[in-house]
Amino acid sequence: MFPMIRIEGVRHAYKTPSGPLPVLDGLEMSLDEGGFSAVVGPSGCGKSTLTRLISGLMKPDEGKVMLHGEVVTGPRATVGMAFQNPVLLEWRSILQNVILPLEIVPNTLSKAECEDRARYLLHLVGLEGFEDKRPSELSGGMRQRASLCRALVHKPEVLILDEPFGALDAFTREDLWQTMHKVKENEPFTGVLITHDLREAIFLADQVVVLSGRPARTQYLLDVPDTGPRDLEHLYTPEAAEMLAILRHQIEIAQGRAPAEGEAA
Amino acid sequence: MNQNLGKVMVPTAAMIIFLLIWEAVVWAAGWPKYKMAAPSDLLPAYIKHWDLFVTMSWQTLWRTVVGLLLAVVVGTGFGMIMGFSRVMRDALYPLLVGFNAIPKATVVPIVALMFVGAHDFNTVLIAFMISFFPIAVSVSIGLSTLEPEYRDILRSLGASQSTIFWKIALPKTLPEFFGAMKVAVTLAFIGTNLMEIVSPHGRGLGALFDSGKTNSDYPLMFAVLIALAVLGILLYYVVVALEKIFAGWAERPAQ
Ligand SMILES: Nc1ncnc2c1ncn2[C@@H]1O[C@H](COP(=O)(O)OP(=O)(O)OP(=O)(O)O)[C@@H](O)[C@H]1O
Ligand SMILES: [Mg+2]
């Protein structure tokens, strides 16, 4: 049985006017089907680059990115993406925005079935009643919910979220975390979440990958134990505090602010 | 007051007030007709040359519109090339800017000599040349400022470049495009008239203006100017109507 996502010895460098810029160097990652992985790391270390590799928008210089044991060679419709910027199309209604991927990905759904699917997802994230509104009529949090629906509408195997909640205020963000749990229960996908928020990482994911500073390699892996359904209270337990402390320490190492284990202080 | 009624009433009232002030200024200054015609002098000019106005306005209008359509096609083409390719943008921009910087009044006689006798063609050509620049620039800027996330979302689903263009890039550029069209409409009129005035044996309102000049018929000249203004307003609002239909979504609801 292959893991859903497997990344082996990936190296990648961008070509820039001042020579190649190594961004990823020795990245390892493995995620089983239905799993949810959060990726954290210093700013500019190569997290978005990683998402572009998984989605097939780019090919790594070296190493392998595999989905279902198959090497990714280009974009595949089995991936859904959402970004910090929800980029909804202003000339379409929310419903039509969510349907967009179904207009591109080959499928056998009728128009009515497409709409039903979109309506169901909008209902799931709490946007029923907003189907016919324009994106500009929605708040930032609502737009992000719509963007999430669009990423899921074609039933992707892999959902990639690149700091989707990064621009939201703390309360809206916590609302969306809970929405994410609801979505996870109802939609089968394997998730990769890029985030700067360690609480978000341990609340949503069952595996946290800490990347080192650029060029990024996998520096640390934390398994978040499965303790049943999570609510926000879980973030205030001693176990959570311990995980957060470990992650914070690892980030400091990644940023070069703390010496790595085994190194002379 | 009814909202739609107000939309017609307010500009109409403004127009009437403008004409009244004009009449009053001419009257107060005591200018003779050959110095400055008053609105009341124009009506006889229109009545006297009614058939000429109709045929000449039509001449000017269709040539302007054809020039404009050409500018839309070619301008959008250039805009797409420059919007999608950095190299082409770097290569073409200075050329276009330089070309646009040449005063068209100097190009008119050259074109008139180059294609002697092809009056329709020449006029359309100048209308096109003068109006395609803003369209090319607006389309290229609209396309090149497309946030990369839009492209990534569609590309990660396996969409082709042309799907991305039709689904996202083109509609997203429409508001800028129509903004440029409003400028281009007026420019195209200027182009048409330059050629009509300069060409010997020309046609169109420009030629009518020229004949007014040779005959020192000042009210006729002013009447032509007003007719041009009316045509300009007409075409401008055609663009506004098209904008409402195709890019109405970009309008923020009034607060
Ligand atoms: N297309 C590109 N060409 C050249 N360099 C790039 C390109 N994209 C990203 N980079 C550089 O590669 C590095 C990693 O970029 P990436 O966007 O993957 O980082 P990130 O971890 O997502 O950052 P952030 O936390 O700020 O989102 C950065 O230094 C960035 O400047
Ligand atoms: Mg990033």
Side-chain angles (χ1 to χ4, degrees):
Chain A
M1 189 60 204
F2 291 108
M4 184 66 233
I5 301 174
R6 172 126 193 88
I7 294 174
E8 279 177 10
V10 158
R11 289 159 64 97
H12 191 77
Y14 283 112
K15 289 168 199 71
T16 65
S18 51
L21 175 76
V23 174
L24 300 175
D25 189 1
L27 200 71
E28 306 283 338
M29 195 176 152
S30 176
L31 188 60
D32 285 332
E33 190 162 351
F36 200 102
S37 178
V39 179
V40 298
S43 186
C45 74
K47 301 182 294 294
S48 297
T49 307
L50 170 64
T51 67
R52 296 171 65 79
L53 293 176
I54 298 175
S55 61
L57 289 171
M58 285 182 348
K59 270 182 265 182
D61 292 344
E62 267 176 54
K64 279 189 229 161
V65 176
M66 290 178 284
L67 297 185
H68 267 323
E70 269 177 57
V71 175
V72 175
T73 53
R76 41 171 78 198
T78 55
V79 171
M81 294 183 95
F83 308 93
Q84 174 165 354
N85 180 356
V87 289
L88 299 174
L89 310 181
E90 208 48 62
W91 55 94
R92 286 174 172 238
S93 67
I94 293 299
L95 187 73
Q96 291 304 320
N97 262 289
V98 174
I99 287 174
L100 179 72
L102 295 177
E103 294 171 12
I104 291 158
V105 175
N107 64 71
T108 54
L109 296 181
S110 70
K111 203 163 167 274
E113 286 168 322
C114 290
E115 286 194 8
D116 285 347
R117 168 79 182 147
R119 276 179 209 284
Y120 161 75
L121 285 172
L122 286 169
H123 170 81
L124 193 62
V125 302
L127 277 184
E128 68 268 37
F130 292 90
E131 291 86 353
D132 299 325
K133 293 262 190 291
R134 298 275 160 171
S136 59
E137 296 175 273
L138 268 58
S139 69
M142 290 161 124
R143 265 180 253 179
Q144 204 49 260
R145 285 169 205 267
S147 155
L148 188 63
C149 293
R150 178 180 56 193
L152 287 167
V153 75
H154 56 297
K155 303 204 167 131
E157 290 180 327
V158 176
L159 178 69
I160 299 172
L161 304 170
D162 193 349
E163 295 185 47
F165 316 128
L168 304 175
D169 65 84
F171 298 121
T172 311
R173 201 180 306 165
E174 290 181 357
D175 258 3
L176 268 148
W177 292 352
Q178 279 157 322
T179 303
M180 267 315 294
H181 271 299
K182 195 167 156 196
V183 169
K184 259 166 63 176
E185 280 160 29
N186 289 280
E187 292 286 316
F189 60 78
T190 307
V192 176
L193 168 76
I194 311 292
T195 179
H196 276 138
D197 186 333
L198 299 180
R199 290 163 73 238
E200 178 172 300
I202 63 164
F203 185 63
L204 290 178
D206 30 55
Q207 177 195 55
V208 182
V209 182
V210 181
L211 299 186
S212 69
R214 198 178 66 223
R217 58 182 171 78
T218 308
Q219 175 183 306
Y220 189 82
L221 265 180
L222 177 88
D223 283 314
V224 183
D226 184 5
T227 52
R230 292 179 202 168
D231 56 35
L232 289 172
E233 300 299 319
H234 275 78
L235 288 173
Y236 301 95
T237 57
E239 293 80 23
E242 195 186 329
M243 284 192 282
L244 288 173
I246 294 172
L247 288 175
R248 214 164 277 136
H249 179 64
Q250 287 298 329
I251 291 285
E252 278 172 8
I253 295 173
Q255 289 172 326
R257 290 196 285 134
E261 271 99 295
E263 271 179 36
Chain B
M1 191 166 60
N2 183 305
Q3 235 190 339
N4 280 329
L5 200 66
K7 266 195 185 140
V8 181
M9 294 278 286
V10 172
T12 311
M15 205 87 83
I16 291 171
I17 291 171
F18 170 74
L19 290 176
L20 285 178
I21 293 176
W22 179 3
E23 184 80 44
V25 168
V26 174
W27 177 78
W31 283 322
K33 260 189 206 169
Y34 55 81
K35 201 162 180 188
M36 174 96 186
S40 58
D41 302 324
L42 302 186
L43 203 60
Y46 283 124
I47 293 171
K48 196 166 138 201
H49 303 290
W50 180 244
D51 50 337
L52 270 181
F53 267 101
V54 172
T55 47
M56 294 306 189
S57 295
W58 169 243
Q59 286 281 342
T60 298
L61 188 62
W62 81 253
R63 292 191 294 209
T64 306
V65 170
V66 171
L68 207 53
L69 289 179
L70 240 129
V72 168
V73 174
V74 176
T76 308
F78 268 97
M80 278 171 68
I81 293 170
M82 293 194 298
F84 280 132
S85 156
R86 249 222 95 92
V87 178
M88 291 310 275
R89 181 153 70 246
D90 293 345
L92 290 176
Y93 233 101
L95 279 175
L96 286 189
V97 171
F99 181 76
N100 189 50
I102 300 172
K104 294 300 170 293
T106 60
V107 181
V108 169
I110 298 175
V111 169
L113 277 179
M114 242 165 145
F115 309 103
V116 182
H119 184 52
D120 284 342
F121 176 80
N122 287 343
T123 316
V124 168
L125 186 65
I126 293 291
F128 154 73
M129 276 161 69
I130 204 171
S131 62
F132 98 105
F133 183 73
I135 298 177
V137 171
S138 75
V139 171
S140 87
I141 289 179
L143 292 181
S144 61
T145 54
L146 189 73
E147 289 96 327
E149 286 99 333
Y150 284 111
R151 220 166 284 211
D152 283 356
I153 282 185
L154 290 204
R155 270 190 50 211
S156 69
L157 297 170
S160 65
Q161 279 293 342
S162 80
T163 308
I164 295 176
F165 178 74
W166 288 110
K167 291 251 183 231
I168 295 186
L170 178 75
K172 198 148 173 43
T173 310
L174 282 180
E176 277 107 345
F177 170 80
F178 279 108
M181 272 300 279
K182 289 177 190 169
V183 178
V185 162
T186 359
L187 287 177
F189 262 111
I190 295 173
T192 317
N193 277 280
L194 273 176
M195 186 47 99
E196 288 172 352
I197 292 173
V198 168
S199 290
H201 316 297
R203 285 184 300 272
L205 286 174
L208 193 59
F209 179 86
D210 205 42
S211 80
K213 206 171 88 190
T214 15
N215 301 323
S216 306
D217 188 346
Y218 276 60
L220 176 62
M221 289 165 74
F222 274 95
V224 169
L225 295 191
I226 298 296
L228 279 172
V230 170
L231 284 189
I233 293 173
L234 193 83
L235 213 50
Y236 182 88
Y237 278 100
V238 169
V239 173
V240 169
L242 289 175
E243 181 184 28
K244 265 229 160 67
I245 296 170
F246 292 109
W249 52 268
E251 230 172 78
R252 297 264 169 248
Q255 277 296 307

